[in-house]
Amino acid sequence: MALRTFKDKHPQLGDKVYVDPTAVVIGDVTLGDDVSVWPTVVIRGDVESIRIGAGSNVQDGSVLHVSHAGDYSPSGHRLLIGKGVTIGHRAVVHGCTVGNYCLIGIGAIIMDGAVLEDYVMLAAGALVSPGKTLESGYLYVGAPAKPVRALNESEKAFLEYSYQHYVRLKDSYLV
């Protein structure tokens, strides 16, 4: 079963959400309208909450998780993902905040407490260190992720195109 309750928390889905039958969404997770969750994704909101904004997509094999409150993280780390975000295949997004209209490249890793502001493009394979903030409007590459240049207008438009494409694609799966 793709949607699973953990303790007293059950995933909440907005309108026209697609969750592939091979994906697993557990616990305190809210998926906004038009969100798509593709094959073999794991979204585990067991020890903290996960919120994913409208129109965002989580592509094949990605893992989204959180950190519990404890001795090493007094308040824990929930996961907040804005609207219109594209999370590429096999990404790991853990206990962080991702702004609106970001693209997380294939195989990228984002660690606890990191913040990606709006309109950030994170390259494939990049690593965002715990607590790091990525400023809006830049392309970041490498491990650790570093800004290489400002995004041009075409790239910013692509960030919005990408999520819109996935909204249309998931609609074809819902028919």
Side-chain angles (χ1 to χ4, degrees), residues 54-107:
S56 292
N57 62 87
V58 185
Q59 296 174 17
D60 313 60
S62 292
V63 175
L64 282 60
H65 193 232
V66 290
S67 290
H68 71 282
D71 292 343
Y72 298 99
S73 178
S75 62
H77 292 283
R78 62 187 179 160
L79 177 57
L80 300 173
I81 296 172
K83 63 183 178 181
V85 173
T86 295
I87 298 175
H89 309 284
R90 210 179 44 79
V92 176
V93 184
H94 202 280
C96 60
T97 299
V98 177
N100 301 317
Y101 311 112
C102 291
L103 184 141
I104 311 306
I106 294 170

Side-chain angles (χ1 to χ4, degrees), residues 49-167:
S49 63
I50 297 175
R51 304 292 179 259
I52 301 177
S56 292
N57 62 87
V58 185
Q59 296 174 17
D60 313 60
S62 292
V63 175
L64 282 60
H65 193 232
V66 290
S67 290
H68 71 282
D71 292 343
Y72 298 99
S73 178
S75 62
H77 292 283
R78 62 187 179 160
L79 177 57
L80 300 173
I81 296 172
K83 63 183 178 181
V85 173
T86 295
I87 298 175
H89 309 284
R90 210 179 44 79
V92 176
V93 184
H94 202 280
C96 60
T97 299
V98 177
N100 301 317
Y101 311 112
C102 291
L103 184 141
I104 311 306
I106 294 170
I109 299 171
I110 308 171
M111 300 298 294
D112 288 356
V115 175
L116 278 65
E117 295 179 349
D118 297 347
Y119 290 95
V120 166
M121 189 178 288
L122 183 63
L127 169 66
V128 181
S129 305
K132 183 169 180 138
T133 296
L134 304 188
E135 189 177 331
S136 180
Y138 286 89
L139 167 64
Y140 291 83
V141 302
K146 294 186 169 127
V148 293
R149 62 177 172 74
L151 297 175
N152 61 44
E153 291 307 311
S154 177
E155 290 166 326
K156 288 179 184 175
F158 175 77
L159 295 175
E160 293 188 31
Y161 166 84
S162 179
Y163 97 83
Q164 292 167 353
H165 163 72
Y166 271 90
V167 168

